[in-house]
Amino acid sequence: MVQNGHINFYTHVFSPYCYRVQLALDQAKADSTSFIIDLSAKPDWYATKVNSAGKVPAITYGQKTPPENPVTPPGTAKINESLVILEFLNDLFPEAHLLPADPVLAAQARLFIDTWETKGFEGLRDFFFLYKPSNGADKTLLDALDAVQMRLPATGFAIGEWSNADSAVVPFLLCLDLLLKNDLGSYPKEEGLKVYEAFKSARFARLRKYIEDARAYPTVKATWDGEFQAGVWSKLPRLNRDHVGEIGGEL
C-alpha cells in the first residue's frame, strides 16, 4: 500500500511503549517525523491537538505538517496507545508483514503480546517500582518471564520471523535486562543483581537467546543504546528506592 498520509510520531527516549512504535515504524520503512515530548513539561498544545490524555506514544496521520504545535485539519487521524498504533501500522503497511497473513500465526503473535501484558508487566511493575519484601515480587517477576519464555518457539522470534509481537515485547525485555544488571529499582540494594543471576541461569536459556537475537536484529541494533538508556533510567524518580507511588501504563 502507498502511504497516503504523513505520520508525526510523538515519543520519549526512555519509554518502552514508544520504542514499540519506533521499531514498527522502522520495520515498515514508514515516512514519519519524530518529536520528543518533555514528560516533565508537556507543551500545552499536545493535549489539545494530539492526544487529549497527554500521554506518549501517539501519532497523527494525514496532511504533512510540522510536528511541533501541528495544524490538524479535518481528516487527520489521531491515534494513541502503543498496541493500537501497532495494529494501525500493520493495516497501513500490509507489505511490511508486521503481522503474518496466516491467521493462526497472527493469533499466536497476539497471544505472545497478551502474555506480556497480563503477566510480564505485572512482574516488572511489582519488582522494579512497587517492591515490598512481603509481596514475593522476585518470584512474580521470574514466573512471568517463565510464562513469556513458554510462548517462544524453539528458535527464532515470537512466531519465527520478526513481527509486531517482537516489537511489542522486546523493548520491555531489553529494559528489564538493563535494570537488573545495573541494580536499578525500588528494591533493596543488590536485590536486582540476585534476580539477574537467576535470570542468567539455565532456566531462562531460551529467553536469553531470544533477547540476544533481538539485540542483533537490524531495527533494534540500529536504535538501542544500552549505555544511554541506563543513564536515562538511573535518573527516573520512580526507580528511587525512597520513592512511593504507582506506575500505570503509557506515560
Side-chain angles (χ1 to χ4, degrees):
M1 175 180 175
V2 176
Q3 183 177 336
N4 294 319
H6 183 76
I7 296 171
N8 281 338
F9 170 41
Y10 297 89
T11 184
H12 191 274
V13 292
F14 88 85
S15 168
Y17 294 99
C18 292
Y19 194 36
R20 283 175 161 175
V21 177
Q22 183 65 62
L23 289 175
L25 287 168
D26 291 349
Q27 187 73 10
K29 297 180 173 56
D31 179 15
S32 65
T33 303
S34 296
F35 186 85
I36 295 175
I37 296 295
D38 183 347
L39 299 178
S40 63
K42 295 173 187 173
D44 293 338
W45 53 261
Y46 184 65
T48 58
K49 292 189 174 184
V50 178
N51 182 6
S52 59
K55 297 179 179 182
V56 292
I59 66 170
T60 60
Y61 178 68
Q63 179 180 319
K64 187 170 185 177
T65 64
E68 185 174 5
N69 199 11
V71 177
T72 52
T76 300
K78 303 174 186 179
I79 306 169
N80 59 299
E81 298 296 331
S82 60
L83 294 180
V84 176
I85 297 172
L86 261 60
E87 291 283 351
F88 171 75
L89 294 175
N90 177 62
D91 293 337
L92 188 62
F93 300 103
E95 71 284 354
H97 305 294
L98 299 180
L99 281 175
D102 183 301
V104 173
L105 288 176
Q108 290 174 350
R110 292 184 173 101
L111 285 169
F112 186 73
I113 296 171
D114 183 70
T115 300
W116 173 261
E117 292 293 289
T118 57
K119 297 183 179 182
F121 177 76
E122 178 185 1
L124 183 149
R125 177 199 63 199
D126 289 356
F127 185 75
F128 292 101
F129 296 95
L130 303 176
Y131 184 89
K132 294 179 182 177
S134 60
N135 70 358
D138 52 347
K139 184 177 186 303
T140 300
L141 177 62
L142 293 172
D143 287 350
L145 293 174
D146 240 343
V148 173
Q149 180 173 248
M150 287 175 64
R151 280 275 171 199
L152 288 169
T155 60
F157 296 110
I159 55 169
E161 297 295 321
W162 184 275
S163 72
N164 268 354
D166 307 295
S167 293
V169 175
V170 162
F172 291 89
L173 293 177
L174 290 173
C175 287
L176 181 149
D177 186 68
L178 179 149
L179 295 176
L180 286 177
K181 69 183 178 183
N182 286 280
D183 202 38
L184 297 173
S186 63
Y187 45 72
K189 188 176 181 180
E190 297 188 0
E191 187 66 23
L193 298 177
K194 293 178 186 176
V195 174
Y196 188 55
E197 287 304 310
F199 188 39
K200 292 193 298 182
S201 72
R203 174 183 174 186
F204 295 103
R206 175 66 187 100
L207 185 57
R208 293 205 60 79
K209 180 64 168 65
Y210 172 70
I211 295 172
E212 178 186 334
D213 290 344
R215 279 200 186 95
Y217 191 72
T219 53
V220 176
K221 187 175 181 179
T223 54
W224 177 255
D225 184 338
E227 184 176 346
F228 172 76
Q229 288 290 329
V232 172
W233 281 89
S234 67
K235 298 180 176 118
L236 188 65
R238 282 179 292 184
L239 286 177
N240 188 303
R241 291 187 168 93
D242 298 321
H243 178 81
V244 177
E246 293 290 330
I247 176 173
E250 317 219 348
L251 302 165

